[in-house]
Every structure is written in C-alpha cells, then in structure tokens.
Amino acid sequence: GTTEEVTPPLQQCFIIPKKEINMVSDMAKWKRSQAYADYMGFILTLNEGVKGKKLTCEYKVSEPIEKLVALLNTLDRWIDETPPVDQPSRFGNKAFRTWYAKLDQEAEKLVATVIPKHLAAAAPEVAVYLKESVGNSTRIDYGTGHEAAFAAFLCCLCKIGVLRVDDQMAIVFKVFNRYLEVMRKLQKTYRMEPAGSQGVWGLDDFQFLPFIWGSSQLIDHPNLEPRHFVDEKVVNENHKDFMFLECILFITEMKTGPFAEHSNQLWNISAVPSWSKVNQGLIRMYKAECLEKFPVIQHFKFGSLLP
C-alpha cells in the first residue's frame, strides 16, 4: 500500500541484450532480402519440376550439367586419394582437413571448368558457395547450412545463365543426387559430426532438401504412401527411383535400433495421409528449422548474386 515506485516485473523481462536485438533484426533483414526470395524461389521451382517424376526417368542433360557431375566426380576421387588417418578420437577424422585444403585451393579452377569464358569474372564468387557446401574444416562437421550453400551454388549458376529452365530435372536428379552421394561418402569416410543437430528431434543428422524434393517425386504415386517408407522391403525395392527412400536407406545403414527411436520426426511424418501434405509440411519445417535459425544462417554468404 506504499506509494514507492516499483518496476513492474514484466518490464524487466523486456530488457534484451544488445546482441540479441541485432540477431533479431538481422534475421528479419535476411527474410526480407533478395537472397532469401531467390533462394526459396529456386527451391520451390525445383520442387515443382520433379513432382511425380522418378530418378530413373528420361530428362535432358546439358553440357553444364555434365561438367558439374565431372566436378563432383573429382571431389569423390580426392576422397579416395586422402584416406582417413589413425587418431585417438573416433569422430572428426583430421584427414578431412587435408581433403578440404585441396578444395580450398582448387575451387575457383573447378568452377571455371563449368562456366563459359565470358562469365569467368563470376568464378571467385560462385566458388565461395562450393567451398561452403562440403562442411567445416575446423570442426569437421556437416549440416543443413552446408547443404544450403550447395543449393545457393546451383542457384548462382542459374542466375548467371549457365543452368537454364529446362535443366530443372537434371539439377535435382543428376547434380544434386551426385552431390548427396559424395557428401555421404565424406560423412562416412571422415566420420563427420552433424552440424547443429537437434538429435532425435531433427529430421535427419545431415540433409533436408532431398526430403522436400523426394516427397514431391512421390506426390500422386499410385501405390506408395507415406506409411510405406518405414517398411524395409518397400525401401529396398524402390530407393533407386526416389530420393526420399534413398535417404531412409542411408539412415537405416548408419543407425541401429528401432526407427521410431532414432528418427522420431520421420516416424511421425509416416503417419501423414498424403505425399502432398508431407511436402507442404516439410517446406514449412525447412523455413522454420533451417532458414530461420540463426546458428544455421549466420554463416550464409552474401554477394552480388545473392544480395
């Protein structure tokens, strides 16, 4: 009952530390940026482009697509040339740093093999996304932020006109799928840690995009429903046609124990009635869990192509 000035308890809660304000405003700026619009537009265009299509179907393969596959084959060959070293800790094999140093050195040259001479000036900027897309050499980890850098790399190649609208299916089925194979080999060979993993609550330790595009491939499939992807027999028989099932196969090879325990989020998704609902839900989840999470996006590089 005294007339003393008392700070209402609520007000104390609203004193945000300086760094926090920047983080919040940076995230708001990022969501309004041209880069975000272009990146998300690119992901959704490809999502539409592969709808209802199998990995094994016929599609146009242009010269730049062939060159990108050759680039990824080079990265694959370097893994064979850089075997893991003997070390006390089980995870994060230091040989990855040797492999990465080679990429760091050669990235611009590799990119120059993909883009025509008259666009050579773009190579240094595009190469940054390639280097960012294979994991972190200090921490020896890999996650969805690195995967996003590879999608940004492909997006930049579209923006400078190297990849075209009719390359859509080949971008996902030939290039991105080859990228996944190389990343899985990196993860296995050098025992890479998941970057920013949410453990059992994340969709997957390392990837996200193949689940989006992979679920789009399965939309309106005559007999494969979301409930089927937890069936080992179905996965073994169909994984070569569908990216989503390829991801499930890799998870079951890498993890032991009941699927519902080690991949709880995916187990929940298997209860969704249709692939189109799965696809829409995954796009929402990707925005919320990857693109709008500061720990993931703080490493995203901006330039003249993704401003």
Side-chain angles (χ1 to χ4, degrees), residues 260-276:
E261 282 175 26
H262 63 61
S263 301
N264 192 263
Q265 280 281 26
L266 282 166
W267 177 258
N268 293 337
I269 287 169
S270 71
V272 176
S274 72
W275 285 110
S276 60

Side-chain angles (χ1 to χ4, degrees), residues 68-129:
L68 280 166
V69 173
L71 181 156
L72 290 164
N73 291 343
T74 301
L75 301 189
D76 192 328
R77 193 182 73 244
W78 291 349
I79 302 173
D80 297 334
E81 292 166 5
T82 320
V85 294
D86 278 338
Q87 62 176 46
S89 67
R90 197 164 135 246
F91 284 97
N93 195 284
K94 291 183 179 67
F96 175 71
R97 292 181 183 146
T98 311
W99 181 90
Y100 184 85
K102 197 167 171 76
L103 173 63
D104 195 30
Q105 213 180 331
E106 303 286 328
E108 278 184 43
K109 272 189 220 156
L110 287 173
V111 170
T113 63
V114 177
I115 61 182
K117 293 256 190 302
H118 69 279
L119 293 170
E125 187 174 330
V126 177
V128 169
Y129 294 103

Side-chain angles (χ1 to χ4, degrees), residues 115-266:
I115 61 182
K117 293 256 190 302
H118 69 279
L119 293 170
E125 187 174 330
V126 177
V128 169
Y129 294 103
L130 179 64
K131 288 192 283 191
E132 291 283 313
S133 74
V134 296
N136 181 287
S137 68
T138 310
R139 295 187 304 270
I140 314 181
D141 66 3
Y142 174 93
T144 48
H146 302 111
E147 178 190 68
F150 190 75
F153 165 69
L154 297 172
C155 181
C156 288
L157 291 174
C158 287
K159 290 192 84 167
I160 60 176
V162 172
L163 297 171
R164 317 234 158 174
V165 175
D166 56 358
D167 286 319
Q168 277 178 38
M169 280 169 71
I171 288 171
V172 179
F173 292 171
K174 212 161 176 64
V175 180
F176 193 80
N177 206 39
R178 184 71 186 109
Y179 164 76
L180 282 179
E181 288 169 0
V182 178
M183 291 308 105
R184 285 175 186 143
K185 188 167 170 176
L186 273 182
Q187 290 152 20
K188 268 186 186 165
T189 307
Y190 304 121
R191 301 300 301 262
M192 296 176 81
E193 299 268 16
S197 164
Q198 294 152 317
V200 76
W201 304 113
L203 187 68
D204 175 77
D205 281 346
F206 299 109
Q207 314 297 156
F208 203 112
L209 291 173
F211 292 96
I212 295 179
W213 295 330
S215 58
S216 179
Q217 281 185 278
L218 285 154
I219 289 174
D220 297 331
H221 192 284
N223 37 17
L224 286 181
E225 292 169 32
R227 65 190 170 91
H228 291 125
F229 77 73
V230 291
D231 179 337
E232 203 179 322
K233 187 171 177 284
V234 172
V235 172
N236 289 332
E237 285 169 8
N238 297 282
H239 71 93
K240 286 191 169 72
D241 285 326
F242 301 104
M243 215 171 231
F244 196 101
L245 302 182
E246 195 71 73
C247 289
I248 300 295
L249 184 71
F250 184 67
I251 291 171
T252 54
E253 280 173 6
M254 298 301 282
K255 297 192 171 183
T256 52
F259 191 88
E261 282 175 26
H262 63 61
S263 301
N264 192 263
Q265 280 281 26
L266 282 166

